[in-house]
Structures are given as structure tokens and as C-alpha cells.
Amino acid sequence: MIHTIEVEVAGKRLRLETGRMAKQADGAVVATYGDSVILATAVAAQTVKPGVNFLPLTVDYQERAYAAGKIPGGYFKREGRPSEKEVLTSRLIDRPIRPLFPEGYYYETQVIASVLSADKTGTTDIVSIIAASAALAVSSIPFEKPVGGVKIGRLNGQFIVNPDLETLDSGDLNLVVAGTEDAVMMVEAGANELPESVMLDAIELAHAEIKKIVAAIHALRREAGKPKRAVEVETVDPALIEQVRALVIGPMREAILIPDKLARQERLDEICDEAAEQLKSEDDPKREHFVRLAFEQIEYHEVRHSILERGVRADGRGTTDIRPITCEVGILPRTHGSALFTRGETQSLAVATLGTTEDEQRIDALEGEYSRAFMLHYNFPPFSVGEAKPLRSPGRREVGHGALAERALKAVIPGKQVFPYTLRLVSDVLESNGSSSMASVCGGTLALMDAGVPIKEPVAGIAMGLIKEGDRAVVLSDILGLEDHLGDMDFKVTGTKNGVTALQMDIKIGGITPELMRQALEQARVGRLHILDKMLSTLSAPRTNLSPFAPRIFTLKIKQDKIRDVIGPGGKTIRSIIAETGVKINVEDSGDVSIASADEASAQKAIEMINRLTAEVEVGKVYLGTVRKIMDFGAFVEVLPGTDGLVHISQLAHHRVKSVSDEVKEGEQILVKVLEIDKQGKIRLSRKEAMAAPSGAPAGTSV
């Protein structure tokens, strides 16, 4: 039986339907918004995955080329590995739903959101969050609190719910919010140095819209939802927990305060192993497993209790303290810009590379083709956390962290008119103990400045955490990996001294209140300014000179009707300029021409050649032209490449000329003066006006 619920969101109908497609899935919902259609399915295994003590959830978002009436490129003509957009949207769906599964739910679960139709407004990511949540809600999978999602833009100071791509590009905010009816669960935002108060207002507006969407999902669940499965939670005997606590609490409290991450973890592992050895039982093979579970629970509560009750964190800092920071720039001799940013035990090596238009990334998306002139790539090698693992291609985490850091810096990247370079930043994380993406933002800023990129303002980033027990809550600045793992929030904030450029918030509990979010943003602002001061004490402004190894790009503007003269038939002319000068040339349809070369003299030579090709004849000016054709009545002279004018026989010399060939020959170069350009564009030239008059005769007199 087909069940349908509709609700209006931002002036358009959101339609949720179940019972028509993918009926063998545990839950399946088709969400339609405008002409965008998403099919989301949820399936869970019937038995617990052996040896697993975490939620084995997989979320995939996939775009079908047919959704936009396209055929995939490439040899195979079918969709291949996930694009960056698909990876990032998969994360957008995953992050708000993951905390809402019950504790102890260890069943293999898969959620797939497939784009069946795309109307090119850019809302498929938002609709996919809603569809996935609805599919889980109507399924038998124990997912009790559905989430909704909306996107907020801001144009001319006004918020817009679910704006189209054009509005997002023109505005100063791109905010995605997902949450339950009670609280916000996830925030992802890029902004143009907006105040924290504006960001909070946008989030509150988003949550008001989310409540309507969640109400619709609840209505669909009441009509078509399956009974939820009972979850068998693996519990530890309270008596065993007390036994373990008596053994480990003293040494655990000492170990938690060891400042060094690896040493701290090594000591905690030793304590756990010792407890497991002392309490193991040959009669109960699972006892060791339960001892380790008890140890984890005790560690969880002890770390949080230390922060809540004593305000003491694992490395001894107070709740608002920032770890020691060191910054170095220009450390790699042959790169265009480099920086090493170290904050505590987190370290990022950021390297900036300047390229030409040819280096832009071309992307073929459902919404259309476009190019990126600024890219930030984040790498997280296993040695950064002291592990030995095979090197793989970037995973979802690397793609997501790179996208966040790129979004943080995008607001301050100069436009092509100011700085006509393609920019690539690479952040290699060399050490990690919390907030390596924020270290990438700080290091990336310094690398750009070291490369001489005239960024609008320096950007810094900080990760905030939360410990919340009942009514007590403590917001933490610059969190460690341990505090991220055992805490309730990971809230990353980037910005300049003027305002916020990016946000990313993930909640591991049922959500947080606006008051806590306001406190976290203000605490983040103070911390961000502190970090900016440290950065600017190392390099206060972008360098005025580029690296000698960076290409030099020169720009000029030509008339659009002159583009064909520069390109030439079949590209012959522009190829000859490139071959002769060794430069790279890019000509835009607008008439903007960029010339790139490591050698300034070669670039200037190319500019002169283009100027000659595109120059226009001026009345009264003298040119050195080439005789191209001789007629009885005069000679046609090429004064500029592709531009001829007529020198009438009467204008060839000061004396009377009987035959044109007596005065000039084809291929000969002569000086001519432009007398007139008529309405048809015909050019009248004079050779005698460009010559000195004969001795004793006034200029312009025939003898």
C-alpha cells in the first residue's frame, strides 16, 4: 500500500512516499522537492556483527547521470567511483543520524540515498538527509528520533530557506542544518566573515523549518511504520564494574593526566591489561571482554568527571586554555609558499602552489559543468598518530576535512581580477591529537601569505568540545583527540578578526540548546583571536614578492571581436606565439587574456605580439606597413596584422607618379600615415604625408 505525506518548505511542496519503490528494504522512502527526486533505503542485518562493539553504519549518497539527462563521460559510459560531492553528501547524511541509534546497537546497517531526478537547484543533499531519515523512521530499525534538514542562504541581509545555487553564489552564507524536533544535531556552513549572532539567527531559523519536516516524517511513520526491533544491549555486571574500579581508579587518574598522548594511551592500555589479567576466569571466557568494557566505562566517566568537577583536562589545561602554538614559514626552498603550524601535539605542513588557468579543476556535476580555481587537499598519513598502516587513496574523512578547510579560506581568496592564479593548498598532517583540520586552516593561511597571495584577511580555526551531564555543561576550547572521543560535541569554528568563515558541528547526544551554542561560539571567537595573534607574530601580511619558481601571470583586455585575430584559423596564430615565446596563453570569451611564464621577458614579448594583433588603426598616426598588393590606382598596405589600407597613386610621393610600381614593390616596408577611416571601415593612407617634403617645396605639394 502506498502512503504519502506532504509539507510546504520554503514555498515548495516536500512529498514523502513509501510503499511503491524498493519494498524489500527494511525502509524505503521517495522524497520529491521541486523536480528533485531521491530514493532512500535502509536495511539492517538480523544478527549482531561478531566481534563488533561500535555502530557498523554505512551511508552512501549516489548520483545517477540520468537524473540530469546526461550520459557519463569516459570510456565505460557508466558511473564510477564516488565524486567529491557524493562523498561529502554521504557525510552530511551520516553525521546527524549516527548519534540517534540506541546504545549497544551493533547490527550492520546500510542507508543508501539515490538521486533519481535533479532539477539543478542544488537541494539534492538536503532532500537526501530527509529521505534517509524517513526511510529509517518507517523501517523496523530502532531509530526513534527522525531528523530533518534545510539549507539557509543570505542575500542583501535577508535569510533565504533552501536557496538555489545562483542565490548561494551571490550571497554571503551557505548553511546546512540538520536536527530533531528538539535540538540541532549538525551544522555545516561557509560564510563571508559574518558575526556569530548572524550565524545563530540562521541556525534558529533552520531549526524552525526542521520541526515542520520532522512532524511530517512522524505522520508518515504513524501511517506506514513497521514495529521497531528490540535491541539486546550488552551490559556489564555492576559488581564486576566495582571490582575493576577498585583495581584501576588510582593509576587511571594518574595516567589520564599524562600530557603526552602516546605515553598516556600506552599507560592506560597497561592498566587495562593488568586488570584483565587479574580478573580473568577460565570458567568464563567472556569475562576478559567484560573487564575491558568496564574499563572503558570507568575511563569515560573519570575523564568527564575531572572536567566537570575540577575543571582539569587530560593535559592539565583549564577549559578555555589553548595549547602552545609555534609557526614557521618559508621552510621549503623550491615550493611557492610553505608553513609549519604546530599546536600542542597537532602539526600541519601546509604548502601553496600557484598555477595558471590550465590548472583549474574541471567538474561535471548534475547541476552543470564548472571549474575550481582554489583547491585544498588534506592528507592524514598513519604515522601522524603513531600507526603503521598501508597508504590508501584519501578516504571520506580526508575529503571532508579538506572541504572544511577549503570552505574556511575561500572567503578570503582574492578574485581573478586581483590575482589571476589557480591556487592549490596541500595540508600534510604530520602529528595529530585533535583538530588537525583547524591546524590545516591556520597553516594554509600562513602558506598563502608566504606565497604572496593577497588574501583579504588571515583566517584561524579552533575546535570546541562539550561535556554535559544532566544540567551541568562545560564548553572546552581547542579539544584533544581524547576529549573528542569521550565528549559530546565537536564544534569547529573558523574565521578572521571580523567574523566567521566556516562552521562544522557534530553532536553525539540528543542535541544542544541555543544558549550552549552561543557560549561555544563566543568562546571560539576569543580562542580564534588568540591563535591569529600567534600566527601574525610570525608573518604579519602576505609577502610582496612571489617565489622565483612561481609562474608570472600578466593580464590584458582585448575587444571580443579581436579574439579571432589572436586565435587565428584553427588556432594557428596563438600556437605560433606560444612556440616563439614559450609562454602559456589563455583567452576568455570576455576578452580577458592571461599570459603565464617563469620568464618576464618572454611574457612581455607575447604581450607585444598580441597587442600588434589586436591594435586598431588610428587616424593621423604613422605606421611602418608592408605593401601587399599593387594596382594601377595605388597600393594596398598592411599597417597592422590583417588590416590593410589603400595608398592612392596620388599619395605615393610628393612628385607626380606615372606608375605605382615605379615607387613601391610588393613585400616592401614603407612608412604611411592614416588619413581617414570611412563608415565602411575602409582606410585611406598616404605615403607622402609620412615623408619629408622635398627641399624648397611645401609639404603635401606635388612637383
Side-chain angles (χ1 to χ4, degrees):
M1 184 176 179
I2 299 174
H3 297 272
T4 302
I5 294 292
E6 292 188 359
V7 62
E8 185 173 304
V9 181
K12 290 198 291 188
R13 301 300 293 176
L14 171 65
R15 186 172 184 266
L16 303 177
E17 175 192 283
T18 188
R20 181 155 65 107
M21 295 187 186
K23 294 187 288 294
Q24 293 190 43
D26 286 334
V29 168
V30 176
T32 303
Y33 189 65
D35 286 339
S36 290
V37 180
I38 310 295
L39 167 64
T41 59
V43 178
Q46 296 296 322
T47 56
V48 174
K49 191 172 182 179
V52 167
N53 61 354
F54 60 89
L55 171 63
L57 172 67
T58 303
V59 178
D60 290 295
Y61 165 90
Q62 54 182 0
E63 295 182 335
R64 299 301 190 204
Y66 62 67
K70 293 184 175 185
I71 295 175
Y75 182 77
F76 293 104
K77 296 299 176 186
R78 69 175 299 158
E79 291 83 2
R81 60 175 294 177
S83 66
E84 186 173 303
K85 162 74 179 303
E86 289 172 306
V87 170
L88 294 174
T89 305
S90 297
R91 284 170 54 84
L92 274 184
I93 301 168
D94 184 307
R95 286 159 46 203
I97 66 175
R98 185 174 289 271
L100 297 174
F101 286 87
E103 192 71 34
Y105 177 78
Y106 300 146
Y107 295 79
E108 186 83 37
T109 303
Q110 184 179 41
V111 175
I112 300 175
S114 304
V115 181
L116 307 184
S117 176
D119 61 9
K120 301 186 179 182
T121 59
T123 55
T124 56
D125 49 358
I126 294 299
V127 182
S128 294
I129 294 173
I130 298 167
S133 170
L136 286 165
V138 301
S139 74
S140 61
I141 300 169
F143 181 80
E144 299 296 335
K145 281 190 170 185
V147 300
V150 295
K151 190 175 291 186
I152 304 291
R154 184 173 180 266
L155 187 63
N156 300 324
Q158 299 297 314
F159 292 128
I160 302 168
V161 179
N162 289 348
D164 57 27
L165 291 174
E166 185 178 349
T167 303
L168 281 178
D169 290 340
S170 304
D172 54 13
L173 176 65
N174 184 349
L175 170 72
V176 175
V177 181
T180 65
E181 59 195 340
D182 302 317
V184 171
M185 297 298 299
M186 182 203 73
V187 174
E188 187 86 25
N192 188 15
E193 299 183 86
L194 292 179
E196 284 78 3
S197 59
V198 172
M199 303 301 291
L200 280 169
D201 290 343
I203 292 169
E204 290 181 8
L205 171 62
H207 194 220
E209 295 291 328
I210 285 169
K211 290 178 182 179
K212 296 191 298 184
I213 297 168
V214 171
I217 296 174
H218 277 305
L220 184 67
R221 177 181 167 181
R222 285 192 295 270
E223 284 190 17
K226 300 175 183 177
K228 296 296 184 183
R229 303 178 193 175
V231 179
E232 295 182 9
V233 179
E234 194 174 43
T235 59
V236 183
D237 183 358
L240 180 60
I241 293 177
E242 288 307 313
Q243 279 185 280
V244 176
R245 178 184 294 276
L247 279 175
V248 306
I249 194 65
M252 177 185 281
R253 286 177 175 171
E254 294 176 0
I256 286 172
L257 296 178
I258 295 174
D260 183 79
K261 169 190 170 182
L262 296 180
R264 177 172 61 246
Q265 191 58 52
E266 183 179 351
R267 179 60 183 136
L268 286 170
D269 290 342
E270 286 176 0
I271 298 168
C272 184
D273 291 342
E274 290 169 2
E277 179 65 25
Q278 289 188 47
L279 297 174
K280 72 179 181 179
S281 170
E282 294 182 2
D283 298 330
D284 184 3
K286 292 198 70 177
R287 186 173 174 84
E288 181 180 343
H289 168 69
F290 284 113
V291 169
R292 294 185 183 278
L293 283 181
F295 184 88
E296 290 176 5
Q297 292 181 21
I298 296 166
E299 180 189 5
Y300 174 83
H301 289 294
E302 188 59 32
V303 170
R304 295 166 65 89
H305 181 268
S306 174
I307 294 170
L308 283 171
E309 296 297 329
R310 301 191 297 273
V312 178
R313 300 163 67 174
D315 57 356
R317 283 183 294 151
T319 57
T320 61
D321 294 340
I322 311 297
R323 288 172 287 176
I325 293 171
T326 58
C327 305
E328 302 171 63
V329 294
I331 62 173
L332 300 176
R334 292 296 294 245
T335 61
H336 300 165
S338 60
L340 187 67
F341 179 86
T342 308
R343 179 169 53 201
E345 293 177 298
T346 296
Q347 185 178 73
S348 165
L349 173 64
V351 180
T353 306
L354 279 56
T356 67
T357 305
E358 291 181 3
D359 298 309
E360 290 183 0
Q361 183 182 18
R362 271 71 173 181
I363 297 173
D364 184 11
L366 289 186
E367 294 79 15
E369 294 184 4
Y370 64 96
S371 61
R372 292 166 65 193
F374 171 56
M375 299 158 279
L376 193 151
H377 297 143
Y378 167 102
N379 298 315
F380 193 84
F383 65 75
S384 65
V385 287
E387 295 179 351
K389 289 182 178 179
L391 281 175
R392 304 291 188 208
S393 58
R396 288 186 176 187
R397 181 181 178 278
E398 285 89 342
V399 173
H401 279 34
L404 171 62
E406 181 179 306
R407 191 162 55 249
L409 292 169
K410 187 177 179 182
V412 300
I413 298 297
K416 284 281 184 150
Q417 298 78 15
V418 177
F419 197 70
Y421 287 86
T422 296
L423 299 173
R424 181 181 184 236
L425 267 176
V426 176
S427 172
D428 284 317
V429 177
L430 306 184
E431 291 184 61
S432 179
N433 185 14
S435 192
S436 56
S437 62
M438 297 297 92
S440 299
V441 172
C442 300
T445 295
L446 291 169
L448 288 170
M449 293 168 65
D450 184 53
V453 180
I455 58 173
K456 298 171 187 174
E457 287 284 346
V459 179
I462 186 171
M464 310 298 294
L466 175 71
I467 303 295
K468 188 174 186 299
E469 297 282 355
D471 295 331
R472 294 183 302 169
V474 174
V475 175
L476 305 176
S477 296
D478 183 25
I479 57 175
L480 300 171
L482 180 69
E483 293 165 340
D484 183 8
H485 176 63
L486 300 178
D488 300 320
M489 176 181 76
D490 182 9
F491 192 2
K492 299 181 177 73
V493 186
T494 72
T496 67
K497 65 183 181 183
N498 303 317
V500 174
T501 60
L503 293 180
Q504 186 181 89
M505 182 182 76
D506 293 303
I507 301 298
K508 302 175 187 177
I509 53 178
I512 64 170
T513 63
E515 290 73 24
L516 273 177
M517 201 178 303
R518 186 173 291 107
Q519 179 186 344
L521 278 171
E522 174 57 25
Q523 204 165 306
R525 186 187 68 82
V526 174
R528 185 176 80 238
L529 295 178
H530 168 78
I531 297 165
L532 276 172
D533 284 343
K534 296 289 185 180
M535 293 164 56
L536 295 178
S537 66
T538 301
L539 185 61
S540 60
R543 299 196 189 279
T544 54
N545 297 318
L546 301 183
S547 161
F549 305 108
R552 266 50 180 177
I553 297 181
F554 302 85
T555 60
L556 62 152
K557 184 85 171 178
I558 63 174
K559 290 187 176 180
Q560 289 176 300
D561 59 3
K562 292 289 184 179
I563 293 175
R564 62 178 180 271
D565 298 327
V566 175
I567 302 298
K572 180 180 178 181
T573 305
I574 196 168
R575 283 199 303 270
S576 67
I577 298 173
I578 293 171
E580 186 174 337
T581 62
V583 303
K584 291 183 179 180
I585 301 175
N586 183 70
V587 183
E588 303 285 351
D589 292 338
S590 61
D592 291 319
V593 180
S594 61
I595 299 165
S597 173
D599 176 25
E600 186 172 344
S602 297
Q604 291 298 338
K605 183 178 180 181
I607 291 172
E608 290 172 9
M609 295 173 75
I610 292 173
N611 283 336
R612 286 200 302 270
L613 287 169
T614 58
E616 295 187 331
V617 176
E618 299 178 28
V619 174
K621 192 171 181 179
V622 175
Y623 295 88
L624 179 64
T626 303
V627 179
R628 293 301 183 194
K629 192 173 183 180
I630 292 177
M631 307 293 287
D632 291 341
F633 54 83
F636 286 97
V637 178
E638 185 182 54
V639 290
L640 291 173
T643 304
D644 296 343
L646 174 65
V647 181
H648 190 266
I649 191 170
S650 63
Q651 294 293 329
L652 279 173
H654 290 287
H655 57 269
R656 184 179 183 83
V657 177
K658 294 181 179 180
S659 173
V660 175
S661 58
D662 291 342
E663 293 294 326
V664 294
K665 307 295 182 187
E666 287 188 5
E668 182 183 353
Q669 288 191 317
I670 61 174
L671 287 171
V672 291
K673 183 177 181 180
V674 180
L675 299 179
E676 179 187 14
I677 304 174
D678 65 19
K679 293 180 180 179
Q680 287 74 40
K682 293 180 180 179
I683 303 170
R684 192 160 67 89
L685 304 172
S686 172
R687 180 173 176 245
K688 71 178 182 181
E689 289 286 338
M691 299 167 62
S695 177
T701 303
S702 296
V703 178

